[in-house]
Structure formats: structure tokens, C-alpha cells
Amino acid sequence: MSDDDIPEADRLPGAPHPREAAQVFGHGEAEAAFLDAYASGRLHHAWLIAGPEGVGKATLAWRLARFLLAQPAEEGGGLFGAPEPPGSLDVAPDHPVARRVAALSEPRLFLLRRPWDDKTKKLKTEITVDATRRLKEFFALSAAEGGRRVVIVDAADEMNRSAANALLKLLEEPPERATLLLVAHSPARLLPTIRSRCRTLRLRPLPAPDLAEALAQAGAEPVEGPTAPGLAALADGSVGAAFQLVESDGLAFYGGLVQLFTAAPGIDRPAAIALAQEPGPEGFPLALHLTEMFLARLARAGITGPPEPEAVPGEAAALARLSPDAAAARAWAAVAQEAGERARHGFAVNLDPAALLLDMFLRVDGAARQPAPA
């Protein structure tokens, strides 16, 4: 399979790929830091773009790559002195570089990602050393259009040990006019020597207004009014998670959970059965995630009080009643771990998803009947 045909692990169904997004929302500080380094002539050769999944790390990496590759070949000046430094990272969508990057046909850009496995017909579970060694071929080619080259590693924390060591050699002796952009969800998993050779741009979860703008750019249905803060809370500031919640009507399912457990102990069994059947096999992973999130927020409420803002109307009252203190918080944390592991194991061996969710609901109801241990 050619590189162009490899499925993209970071493309959400129905949403544009991060390289197709023109703007990055909520990360102006990171953009300004990179732009300042470029304008001052102190552009580091390697940048670690770190943060939770779905907050825009890959989108920023592609934006930085377009910017760098679209700059004039002679950045240090010419006959009439140094040019005015750019004031933003914007590159016009019809710029030749932007078009080539969108088509994955830019010869000065290398994307290091998990390769395709012809035997399993799936993406491999890690970035291999063979995929990383292709960087040597990339840098051996004669550089066109001024010589700047960019590498995006997405995600760097998916490299196996051999691949990481191969990349480390490149970071220790970087080619001239090369910039490496490492996307990492869990930077602690990277070799300390890799982290130490990168300048870090740390991205944080998006607040509700920025999340709404990012969702609009991704083509999701607008979420406005009192629902918007709840969506941001459930998505933990992640555009990817929010997009999935909107497209799969996850807020409605979570609302059903809150309504169901408002009556705990003694939930309405027919209502529980109906809610468990609602997602179907394809929606089970999200439904399980939302149920675990309810339990996590329930446990947290016993320590810090109900979260603000509440995700759906009535959530705060339900959490406060079911988890009034630290003892209840510990009990709910144990329920969350046990029930979640049981459901995931059952799904892995092809048990009925609706039955697994119903079992989880009944376990939560049963736990609500038991007094929290002292």
C-alpha cells in the first residue's frame, strides 16, 4: 500500500484531517512563542508539541510546517536588507505549499507515523525503526526551493525503543535547515534524551468558546447556549472528543445516565434496559467512556464537591447526593475501576454490548445501596 493510501489514525469520521484545518484555536501563546523564535533567528531544530489528545496538537504541527515551508528561501535578507518578519503563521489556502501539504505531495515534508502492516491489513501498533530510518533517505535527497525541510512525527510517543533511538541520533546531529515537530500525547513516555533536545510547546484543554470555534471549523453542528459548557466539560477541552460527542449525540446519552442514576438506589429497570440498548455495538466504546466519566465525576464530587459547570441539568444534585464525602469518593472510585474493567473484558470477548452496559448500570445501583466504608 502506498503512503497516500494508508488510513490516517488521527482522522475522525466526518471531520477534516488536522492538516486540512486552516486555524488553531486557543493556543495563541504557543503560536506566539514559535513565531518569536523564528523572527529572532533562534528557531530550535526540534519542537515537542505536548498535551492531551484532541486539543489541536497535530493541527498546530501542520500549521507550523506550512508556515516554515512557505517562507522565502533567503530569510536572512538580501540586496535590500532583511525582510519584515512575518506577523502570523497564516498561509493562504491557495498557496502552492498549502496545496501540496494538503495533498501530502510536498517533497520537503516528511510525515513519520505508524506504518501499514500488509499481513494484518491494519496500521501497526507502533512507529517502527524501519519507518524511522526512511528519514535518512529523506535528508539525503537534494533539498529544493531553498533547502528548508520539515519532519512531523505523529505521535512521537508511539515509537518503539529502536525507532526512538534512531530519531535521537538525528536530534543529536540535526541536518542544516531542518525542523522536527514531535506530537506527543504522553511526553513522559519519550526518552529523556529526546525531550531534552526539544523545545516544548505545551497545549492545554480548550475552554468552551475556543472549543466551539474549533468544532465549527471541523464542520460539526453548532452547540450553543447552556449546552456548550457541558460539552466542554465532558470533552475535557478536547476538540476530537467534543466532535465525537456531538456527532454521536453523546450529551443526550450522558443526560440519560444522570436521569437514570438520580433515582439510585432503585433505578427504573425498563429505563436502564432502554438506555443500555441505545448505543448499539458501534456506540458501545463511547457509551462505556461516558459511564466511566460519570463514575469519575461522582468520585471526584466526594472530594471537591460537584464539578462546575455541570455537564447536564441535574448532574450536580445527583453527584452531591450519591457522593457526599471522601469515604463515598473512595468507594465510587473502586466501583469505576472494577465495573469498567469487567465491561471492557466482556466487549473484548464479544459479549452483548447492551448486556454489558446494563450490568454496569445495575452494579452502580447496587453500590448506591451500600453504605460507604469508613
Side-chain angles (χ1 to χ4, degrees):
M1 179 177 289
S2 69
D3 284 354
D4 291 345
D5 297 326
I6 293 177
E8 297 175 301
D10 55 348
R11 180 188 288 273
L12 292 173
H17 188 270
R19 71 173 177 277
E20 298 164 350
Q23 297 294 324
V24 173
F25 297 98
H27 304 306
E29 185 177 333
E31 290 197 36
F34 187 90
L35 193 61
D36 178 68
Y38 176 86
S40 64
R42 302 191 309 271
L43 185 68
H44 200 70
H45 68 277
W47 295 74
L48 178 61
I49 306 174
E53 287 195 54
V55 298
K57 299 186 302 298
T59 303
L60 178 60
W62 288 100
R63 180 165 165 81
L64 298 180
R66 282 194 302 269
F67 167 81
L68 290 172
L69 295 171
Q71 297 311 304
E74 297 297 331
E75 295 155 6
L79 182 60
F80 300 102
E84 188 73 18
S88 80
L89 299 174
D90 291 343
V91 175
D94 59 351
H95 191 288
V97 165
R99 292 201 299 266
R100 291 195 297 266
V101 167
L104 290 179
S105 61
E106 171 54 61
R108 296 173 296 145
L109 174 68
F110 186 95
L111 173 60
L112 179 57
R113 55 182 172 174
R114 287 186 286 139
W116 180 256
D117 191 327
D118 287 325
K119 292 182 179 179
T120 63
K121 305 301 180 185
K122 296 180 181 178
L123 290 173
K124 293 187 176 182
T125 58
E126 57 189 14
I127 296 176
T128 63
V129 66
D130 288 339
T132 308
R133 284 172 178 160
R134 291 178 59 192
L135 282 168
K136 186 176 181 180
E137 302 172 14
F138 170 69
F139 284 115
L141 297 175
S142 58
E145 297 188 31
R148 179 174 291 283
R149 286 163 291 183
V150 176
V151 174
I152 294 177
V153 186
D154 189 7
D157 40 0
E158 293 175 343
M159 292 185 294
N160 63 27
R161 185 82 178 190
S162 297
N165 283 324
L167 184 69
L168 178 59
K169 292 180 180 179
L170 186 64
L171 293 174
E172 290 173 338
E173 299 180 12
E176 186 179 356
R177 293 175 61 77
T179 304
L180 286 82
L181 306 171
L182 282 64
V183 175
H185 312 308
S186 303
R189 294 175 56 188
L190 296 175
L191 294 175
T193 44
I194 287 181
R195 296 199 304 268
S196 68
R197 284 167 172 77
C198 298
R199 179 171 172 182
T200 299
L201 295 175
R202 194 168 301 279
L203 307 192
R204 296 175 176 81
L206 297 179
D210 292 318
L211 190 65
E213 289 190 282
L215 283 174
Q217 177 174 256
E221 289 293 324
V223 178
E224 300 172 337
T227 307
L231 177 64
L234 282 186
D236 280 336
S238 164
V239 182
F243 186 89
Q244 188 178 17
L245 285 168
V246 171
E247 294 298 300
S248 303
D249 211 10
L251 271 177
F253 181 83
Y254 191 83
L257 284 175
V258 170
Q259 184 176 359
L260 183 70
F261 294 127
T262 294
I267 61 174
D268 184 327
R269 191 178 181 91
I273 294 172
L275 187 63
Q277 293 174 338
E278 189 177 295
E282 290 186 358
F284 174 81
L286 178 60
L288 173 60
H289 170 71
L290 289 173
T291 306
E292 290 182 306
M293 179 169 285
F294 175 83
L295 290 171
R297 289 167 72 85
L298 190 56
R300 196 178 307 127
I303 303 296
T304 63
E308 295 182 4
E310 59 180 359
V312 295
E315 183 197 34
L319 298 184
R321 182 179 65 83
L322 291 171
S323 188
D325 51 37
R330 290 191 295 270
W332 285 119
V335 171
Q337 181 176 356
E338 179 185 353
E341 289 178 355
R342 179 183 174 92
R344 279 190 293 275
H345 175 73
F347 189 63
V349 296
N350 297 317
L351 296 184
D352 177 36
L356 293 172
L357 285 175
L358 179 60
D359 176 72
M360 205 169 179
F361 298 164
L362 295 177
R363 285 177 176 274
V364 173
D365 191 54
R369 298 178 185 275
Q370 304 299 321

